[in-house]
Amino acid sequence: MKLQLILLSLTFLSDLFVEASIIPRSFAEVKARLESRRRKKKPAATPVDEDGWPKYFHEPGGSQLANHYDSRYEHGILTYEDKQDTQVHMMRAYLDFFKKNGIETWLAHGTLLGWWWNGKMLPWDWDIDTQVSGPTLMYLGTHFNGSIYDYTSADSDPGFTPPIERQYLLDVNPAIVERDRGNGNNVIDARWIDIRNGLYIDVTGLSETEPSIAPGVWSCKNLHHYKTTDLYPMRESMYEGVVAKVPYAYDRILAEEYMEKALVITEYEGHKWHPELKEWVKKTPAEIKQERLDRQQAKIKKQQEKEERKRLKEEKEKAEQEAKEREENEAKEAKEENPEGEKKDDTEPMIGPEPEDGHGIKEPEKEPIKVKRDAKPEPEPETEPDLEDELPVLEKESSGLKHLRRRALDKDLR
């Protein structure tokens, strides 16, 4: 019995050691590990469908814009202006509802990016995204699912313009009990729907789905991951003229999701950022046409520059090839002229016969002296007697005595 307890304890400790050894150190590693595990995990079987939860929210489809409407309330694609008006009041109504009921929610994804620029929605964006915590999501499903909220615009002036009155549906997906991605049909946990035209706000819940390997990491079904310290404490700000909350590390979250380019680019989707107005302004047809023409001209110029670089490269390669061939031909001709490989001497040839030993210059041969037989020697020419020869003793005397004797000799000769 004791042995079994010891073995069970050792097994438990070994499992803990293995589990601790695989905990990633960085947040990026945590995200990668969670995504890998959740993608491989099979959908949870339910009594409704053996393959997982069936898709709850449906869109008309047929186009990208049509996918932003709820099929139950859609009556066609709205104009640009109607879409803008619908989204502004839908967002105000959503935030007003959550504030009145003391429920926490915050901006996410492209909606958070719009807040970063000017506290408003991006005018080209058809998606509005918000997030709540996992427990808040369950609370909504229990107490407010199917609620119809009557909204009256706070900035309406009854004396001049009629008040804007609309109704919105809070519809919570029953698949919220499954916090994994499952089969991917129900990544949206709830929707706030304008029942006039079917436009909606996506609401997703964040939960600690893998607390054993990634404590303090919150994930949604669409595989977005956040650290607790990135989310809390929430910051309170303004969005579309009403109070809204944003994550604490909003800048890091946006840079990670959209890259830093999204925080500095000033032209996108037919809109241009005007810093003096602090607004994204839609471009006029003339501006769009001119930009299209500029892009075409820039494309043509780029192609011409590419062709010019190609031509210069070909000319350079041709010149190098010709120079190489010329050198080869010169080397070939030189080899033909000197097949044995003898080195040519460019110096001027020597005058006279070549030296026999190859060293130095050979002197010309002298003519032999011809001697006649019985020839008498020619008399030598008479020369004056050398005083030095007659007085050999003088060579041995000192310079002073030699001078005196020479003077005396000169007198006698006279």
Side-chain angles (χ1 to χ4, degrees):
M1 185 66 180
K2 292 182 178 180
L3 181 60
Q4 291 179 349
L5 290 174
I6 294 172
L7 291 174
L8 288 173
S9 300
L10 290 174
T11 303
F12 178 71
L13 291 173
S14 64
D15 291 341
L16 288 178
F17 176 76
V18 171
E19 191 70 27
S21 64
I22 62 175
I23 294 177
R25 295 181 179 179
S26 68
F27 183 58
E29 291 173 338
V30 171
K31 290 176 59 178
R33 183 171 180 78
L34 286 176
E35 291 178 8
S36 175
R37 285 170 62 95
R38 295 176 70 181
R39 290 182 189 278
K40 293 178 180 178
K41 187 177 289 188
K42 294 181 180 180
T46 67
V48 180
D49 192 335
E50 294 181 356
D51 295 329
W53 289 88
K55 185 175 173 60
Y56 181 74
F57 292 115
H58 293 273
E59 302 80 27
S63 69
Q64 186 176 2
L65 294 181
N67 287 330
H68 296 90
Y69 295 82
D70 189 285
S71 296
R72 295 168 290 180
Y73 305 100
E74 182 263 337
H75 304 292
I77 306 299
L78 298 178
T79 63
Y80 178 84
E81 292 74 19
D82 288 341
K83 181 202 72 114
Q84 298 291 94
D85 177 76
T86 297
Q87 287 182 327
V88 168
H89 291 286
M90 182 167 57
M91 192 69 210
R92 290 178 179 177
Y94 173 87
L95 295 173
D96 186 54
F97 169 83
F98 274 74
K99 182 179 179 181
K100 285 181 178 179
N101 290 281
I103 306 172
E104 185 179 59
T105 185
W106 58 89
L107 310 180
H109 307 312
T111 307
L112 180 62
L113 181 62
W115 167 84
W116 186 89
W117 277 97
N118 59 354
K120 297 181 180 181
M121 279 176 287
L122 299 171
W124 62 82
D125 195 2
W126 286 78
D127 291 321
I128 304 178
D129 294 289
T130 61
Q131 291 174 338
V132 295
S133 66
T136 298
L137 183 62
M138 298 302 173
Y139 180 79
L140 290 173
T142 303
H143 296 88
F144 295 98
N145 188 24
S147 298
I148 298 293
Y149 179 67
D150 295 318
Y151 163 80
T152 301
S153 176
D155 58 0
S156 298
D157 188 350
F160 296 92
T161 57
I164 297 175
E165 297 180 349
R166 293 171 186 175
Q167 289 185 323
Y168 301 94
L169 167 67
L170 176 60
D171 195 0
V172 181
N173 190 334
I176 60 171
V177 295
E178 176 61 54
R179 298 314 302 148
D180 248 323
R181 182 178 177 85
N183 54 19
N185 288 330
N186 296 284
V187 294
I188 304 301
D189 293 310
R191 276 181 178 171
W192 182 263
I193 307 170
D194 188 329
I195 61 177
R196 300 176 308 125
N197 50 41
L199 281 180
Y200 54 78
I201 296 174
D202 279 333
V203 184
T204 55
L206 300 183
S207 306
E208 285 185 285
T209 55
E210 299 283 353
S212 60
I213 67 169
V217 177
W218 299 64
S219 307
C220 68
K221 292 182 180 180
N222 212 21
L223 304 180
H224 293 283
H225 306 279
Y226 310 88
K227 292 189 293 186
T228 304
T229 52
D230 288 342
L231 297 173
Y232 293 99
M234 289 285 171
R235 300 175 184 266
E236 196 170 87
S237 183
M238 299 294 291
Y239 189 72
E240 291 293 353
V242 296
V243 177
K245 290 185 177 181
V246 298
Y248 179 77
Y250 60 85
D251 49 352
R252 197 194 73 80
I253 292 173
L254 288 174
E256 182 177 333
E257 185 171 356
Y258 295 103
M259 307 302 289
E260 295 182 359
K261 183 179 180 181
L263 306 178
V264 296
I265 190 172
T266 55
E267 291 190 28
Y268 192 74
E269 290 290 332
H271 293 76
K272 187 173 183 178
W273 173 254
H274 288 258
E276 66 280 1
L277 302 175
K278 293 186 178 180
E279 292 281 350
W280 287 97
V281 179
K282 188 176 182 180
K283 297 176 183 178
T284 63
E287 290 175 333
I288 296 174
K289 183 178 179 181
Q290 183 61 41
E291 287 182 356
R292 188 181 297 114
L293 181 61
D294 293 341
R295 285 195 298 269
Q296 291 176 352
Q297 292 177 347
K299 186 176 180 180
I300 294 172
K301 183 179 179 181
K302 186 177 180 180
Q303 183 64 27
Q304 291 176 345
E305 291 175 351
K306 183 178 179 181
E307 292 176 355
E308 179 66 15
R309 289 195 298 270
K310 182 179 179 181
R311 185 185 66 80
L312 294 174
K313 183 179 179 181
E314 290 176 351
E315 290 181 355
K316 182 179 179 181
E317 291 177 350
K318 184 179 179 181
E320 291 176 351
Q321 183 64 25
E322 290 177 352
K324 184 178 179 181
E325 292 177 356
R326 186 164 53 252
E327 291 177 359
E328 291 177 352
N329 292 335
E330 291 175 356
K332 186 177 180 181
E333 291 175 358
K335 189 175 181 180
E336 290 176 354
E337 293 177 359
N338 189 16
E340 296 181 0
E342 296 178 359
K343 186 177 180 181
K344 292 184 178 180
D345 190 1
D346 294 334
T347 58
E348 295 183 0
M350 295 184 299
I351 300 174
E354 297 182 358
E356 294 181 356
D357 56 356
H359 298 286
I361 300 174
K362 184 178 179 181
E363 296 182 357
E365 296 181 356
K366 297 181 180 180
E367 294 182 2
I369 300 173
K370 297 179 180 181
V371 181
K372 296 180 180 180
R373 290 183 178 182
D374 302 329
K376 293 181 179 181
E378 295 180 359
E380 294 182 359
E382 294 182 359
T383 57
E384 295 182 358
D386 190 358
L387 296 177
E388 298 292 333
D389 294 337
E390 292 181 1
L391 300 173
V393 183
L394 296 178
E395 298 295 336
K396 298 179 181 181
E397 294 179 350
S398 62
S399 58
L401 294 175
K402 183 179 180 180
H403 178 66
L404 294 175
R405 289 182 179 277
R406 186 177 294 277
R407 289 181 62 184
L409 184 59
D410 289 341
K411 284 183 178 181
D412 292 338
L413 290 175
R414 288 175 187 163

